[in-house]
């Protein structure tokens, strides 16, 4: 009997031991399975992300150089699971803008990455069309200080980065090197030299610029007021155009426009009129964009080949300033492939992508270090010219505002009234201040 009790006790203990082990095993198994499933899923997802092909759509304007095809080819070699489909937008910037607005306002995901004019980021950010890029920039340790400051500033709105600088443009001073010994340092020196040298070597005018009532007038205006320390809208989105600095800059602009050394019809001059008169040898100085360098040395068109040099636009009280032009890259907020879109945008606006665009497309990089690259310097005379880099370093964006087109219209009208003598610079500054505040308050 006693033996049976001992056997029964051993049996009970054995069953309990098996039960405890089973329970512990089940617990361990559950934990292992949960963790294992997570690891498997992560690995599976990672492998799927690395192996599954994804196609993103990149939209941009017409590219006659073929450079962007080379960028896409180089990117796809490094990212074999990401295919980039190119969508060509209208050559007319306004038409492209309107098509994007129509597309994004309906929350369409048909485009992932797109090129944007430097005056679009704030508008597209405010309208919720664009994806903010700060988390990508921080995660991938992108050095935004490597880009020219103005190009970064133009894409920053409400403290966030909405676009990556792709290539840049800026206003600059062209001068006849066979007439001018040393480029003018200040606006007053320009006025003096333009007046004194007018008529030399068959020239008819001392200075050419864009003074018609259109966007080009705004660009010239920004350069004058910025050189005297003036602004239109500050970093906090406040209208600050009614200031002594902006008034002084507008008065200097008016002095130049109303001088005897500019054409009588200067109020009708846009870029084309400036270019035609300049390459015909009609002026000593001209303000225009970088493309004029190529026109000046075109032996089939230009009568001043070999007699042209460049310099930063003259300085005011606060130094040199050039209005920023160029294009950015942005991501559609409604893209179904934001990670892949960022990888392409990062590559295109990084050193390798920008170098391809510079060497094969002739576009000025926004990364300052590329101007030391031998291949980039060899690609175009401007890229090897230190004065050109100085111009880009001093480039300032036009007002960063979600309603920039309306802001521009206000400036064009009020500035033109000053140039025609219908109001003073002080009155224009007051009118711009009140009208812009009203527009931004709506």
């Amino acid at each position: 009997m006693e033996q049976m009790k001992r056997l029964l006790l051993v049996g009970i203990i054995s069953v309990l031991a098996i039960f405890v082990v089973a329970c512990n095993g089940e617990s361990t198994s559950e934990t292992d399975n949960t963790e294992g499933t997570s690891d498997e899923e992560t690995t599976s997802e990672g492998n799927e992300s690395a192996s599954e092909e994804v196609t993103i759509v990149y939209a941009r304007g017409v590219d006659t150089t073929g450079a962007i095809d080379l960028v896409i080819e180089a990117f796809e070699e490094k990212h074999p699971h990401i295919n980039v489909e190119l969508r060509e937008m209208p050559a007319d910037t306004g038409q492209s803008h309107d098509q994007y607005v129509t597309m994004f306002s309906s929350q369409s995901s048909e485009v992932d990455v797109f090129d944007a004019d430097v005056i679009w980021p704030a508008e597209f950010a405010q309208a919720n069309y664009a994806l903010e890029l700060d988390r990508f920039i921080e995660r991938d340790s992108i050095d935004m200080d490597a880009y020219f400051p103005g190009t970064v500033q133009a894409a920053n709105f409400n403290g966030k980065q909405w676009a990556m600088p792709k290539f840049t443009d800026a206003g600059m001073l062209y001068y006849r090197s066979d007439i001018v010994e040393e480029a003018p340092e200040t606006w007053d020196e320009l006025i003096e030299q333009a007046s004194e040298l007018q008529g030399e070597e068959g020239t008819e005018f001392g200075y050419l610029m864009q003074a018609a009532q259109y966007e080009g007038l705004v660009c010239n205006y920004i350069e004058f007021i910025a050189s005297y320390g003036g602004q239109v809208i500050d970093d906090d989105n406040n209208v600050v155009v009614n200031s002594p600095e902006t008034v002084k800059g507008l008065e200097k602009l008016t002095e130049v426009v109303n001088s005897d050394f500019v054409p009588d019809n200067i109020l009708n001059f846009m870029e084309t009129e400036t270019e035609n008169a300049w390459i015909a040898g009609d002026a000593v100085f001209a303000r225009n964009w970088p493309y004029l360098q190529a026109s000046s040395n075109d032996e089939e068109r230009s009568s001043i080949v070999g007699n042209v040099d460049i310099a930063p636009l003259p300085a005011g009280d606060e130094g040199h300033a050039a209005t920023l032009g160029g294009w950015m890259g942005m991501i559609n907020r409604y893209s179904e492939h934001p990670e892949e879109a960022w990888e392409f945008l990062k590559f295109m606006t990084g050193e390798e992508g920008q170098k391809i665009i510079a060497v094969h497309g002739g576009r000025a990089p926004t990364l300052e270090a590329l101007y030391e690259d031998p291949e980039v310097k060899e690609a175009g005379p401007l890229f090897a010219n230190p004065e050109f880099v100085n111009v880009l370093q001093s480039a300032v964006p036009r007002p960063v505002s979600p309603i920039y087109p309306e802001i521009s219209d206000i400036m064009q009208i009020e500035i033109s009234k000053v140039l025609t003598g219908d109001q003073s610079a002080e009155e224009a500054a007051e009118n711009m201040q009140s009208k812009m505040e009203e527009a931004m308050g709506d």
Side-chain angles (χ1 to χ4, degrees), residues 29 37 79 114 123 152 154 156 168 178 198 203 207 230 272 274 306 331 401 417 423 436 439-440:
S29 175
T37 300
H79 302 82
F114 62 99
E123 176 191 353
V152 176
N156 195 288
T168 190
D178 57 333
Q198 180 181 5
T203 57
Y207 186 62
T272 301
T274 302
I331 297 177
S401 169
K417 287 181 180 179
Q423 68 180 358
M436 289 179 189
M440 294 176 68

Side-chain angles (χ1 to χ4, degrees), residues 66-84:
I68 201 60
D69 294 326
L70 297 176
V71 171
I72 292 174
E73 182 181 334
F75 171 77
E76 290 179 341
E77 284 183 8
K78 291 180 177 292
H79 302 82
H81 68 292
I82 306 177
N83 300 314
V84 181

Side-chain angles (χ1 to χ4, degrees), residues 47 93 144 188 202 370 399 438:
N47 290 338
T93 302
M144 298 306 292
D188 287 335
L370 283 176
E438 182 179 359

Side-chain angles (χ1 to χ4, degrees), residues 3-38:
Q3 185 176 0
M4 290 181 64
K5 288 182 178 179
R6 284 200 298 270
L7 290 172
L8 181 61
L9 180 60
V10 170
I12 292 172
I13 292 172
S14 299
V15 169
L16 288 174
I18 293 170
F19 178 77
V20 169
V21 170
C23 288
N24 286 340
E26 181 180 357
S27 174
T28 304
S29 175
E30 282 183 356
T31 303
D32 288 347
N33 283 343
T34 300
E35 292 176 354
T37 300
S38 175

Side-chain angles (χ1 to χ4, degrees), residues 26-214:
E26 181 180 357
S27 174
T28 304
S29 175
E30 282 183 356
T31 303
D32 288 347
N33 283 343
T34 300
E35 292 176 354
T37 300
S38 175
D39 289 343
E40 279 182 14
E41 287 177 354
T42 302
T43 303
S44 175
E45 288 172 1
N47 290 338
E48 184 178 355
S49 174
S51 60
E52 181 185 357
E53 288 196 8
V54 172
T55 297
I56 61 172
V57 177
Y58 165 50
R60 58 150 294 147
V62 178
D63 174 30
T64 58
T65 68
I68 201 60
D69 294 326
L70 297 176
V71 171
I72 292 174
E73 182 181 334
F75 171 77
E76 290 179 341
E77 284 183 8
K78 291 180 177 292
H79 302 82
H81 68 292
I82 306 177
N83 300 314
V84 181
E85 178 184 315
L86 185 62
R87 177 175 298 187
E88 190 173 275
M89 300 296 287
D92 183 286
T93 302
Q95 290 182 20
S96 290
H97 171 274
D98 294 345
Q99 287 189 23
Y100 285 133
V101 169
T102 300
M103 190 186 307
F104 300 148
S105 61
S106 65
Q107 300 187 6
S108 170
S109 61
E110 61 188 281
V111 163
D112 300 285
V113 181
F114 62 99
D115 279 4
D117 195 327
V118 292
I119 59 177
W120 294 355
E123 176 191 353
F124 283 19
Q126 180 82 2
N128 214 30
Y129 298 158
L131 188 67
E132 58 273 25
L133 304 177
D134 299 85
R135 63 188 174 94
F136 296 118
I137 292 170
E138 182 177 352
R139 183 192 70 189
D140 293 351
S141 302
I142 306 299
D143 182 12
M144 298 306 292
D145 290 336
Y147 295 83
F148 289 118
T151 64
V152 176
Q153 184 184 350
N156 195 288
F157 177 66
N158 281 345
K160 295 181 179 180
Q161 198 71 23
W162 300 93
M164 292 295 291
K166 184 181 174 186
F167 60 82
T168 190
D169 214 351
M172 59 180 59
L173 181 69
Y174 291 83
Y175 65 92
R176 289 282 296 276
S177 56
D178 57 333
I179 300 174
V180 179
E181 292 185 5
E182 188 173 346
E185 179 65 23
T186 66
W187 287 112
D188 287 335
E189 288 181 12
L190 171 73
I191 292 171
E192 180 181 355
Q193 289 191 34
S195 180
E196 290 179 354
L197 298 174
Q198 180 181 5
E200 295 287 330
E201 297 295 331
T203 57
E204 186 177 354
F205 312 111
Y207 186 62
L208 303 172
M209 58 178 292
Q210 299 79 50
Q213 187 176 313
Y214 80 118

